Amino acid sequence: MQIRELKIPDSYEITPKQFGDDRGVFLEWYRFDRLEEHIGHPLNLAQANTSVSKRGVVRGIHFADVPPSQAKYVTATRGAALDFVIDIRVGSPTYGQWDSVLLDETDRRAIYLGEGLGHCFVALSDDTTVSYLVSAPYNAAREHGIDPRDPAIGLEFGIPADELILSPKDIEAPTLAEAEASGLLPTWEQVRAYSDELNRGV
């Protein structure tokens, strides 16, 4: 597999090597050792999630308190999704910026998002099935959101705005500026300190 760091530090695009024959296709969509070589510590898997979405569904922008936050390894097993990583770490050199990876049934890529990053995706086809491996169990009290339509972030969904489908929770989420002002966001220093602990195996 090929692993490429995205423009947001601590996020990566993973492109597996596919082996096809008259029976179908085989691939390794996750390798703990290859990922560890790039992020500096193991991805401790605590939970696996799957969502099924119709075309136009937007899920996110979601993030969790640091520590422990929730690192994510995400792929689409059916359909197609445009997956976004958003830097919400106050003080980061790429704060407020984003990058994206197309997750689909053709290239079967995955995306890794380190602790403290914001995550969002839009389903580009009906029955898009997205699976997540995550480093910490879901904890509602530590989970937060940012409005994915925030013009200051400027996510480009590739689908007309009137065709996007958001949950009430995501519609009512604060903007990035509002989340920062209320102290919801992690800081670059917090994330770096926690990452150092993970790298040392603390």
Side-chain angles (χ1 to χ4, degrees), residues 43 75 138 143 180:
L43 173 59
T75 194
Y138 176 76
E143 296 284 333
E180 180 180 355

Side-chain angles (χ1 to χ4, degrees), residues 46-49 62-72 134-145 169 184:
Q47 185 173 315
N49 306 322
H62 299 151
F63 66 98
D65 290 339
V66 180
S69 189
Q70 193 182 62
K72 298 177 180 178
V134 298
S135 64
Y138 176 76
N139 183 334
R142 303 181 64 81
E143 296 284 333
H144 308 287
K169 180 180 177 180
L184 279 180

Side-chain angles (χ1 to χ4, degrees), residues 70-148:
Q70 193 182 62
K72 298 177 180 178
Y73 191 99
V74 187
T75 194
T77 55
R78 182 177 182 183
L82 188 58
D83 198 291
F84 300 93
V85 53
I86 303 95
D87 196 341
I88 59 168
R89 302 167 297 188
V90 178
S92 165
T94 54
Y95 175 70
Q97 299 179 37
W98 57 271
D99 205 346
S100 63
V101 173
L102 177 63
L103 308 179
D104 61 19
E105 298 174 78
T106 302
D107 296 311
R108 297 184 169 89
R109 291 189 178 96
I111 183 172
Y112 169 81
L113 303 91
E115 292 81 1
L117 292 171
H119 179 238
C120 177
F121 75 80
V122 58
L124 302 179
S125 60
D126 286 337
D127 297 321
T128 291
T129 304
V130 174
S131 292
Y132 323 58
L133 305 175
V134 298
S135 64
Y138 176 76
N139 183 334
R142 303 181 64 81
E143 296 284 333
H144 308 287
I146 295 168
D147 189 339

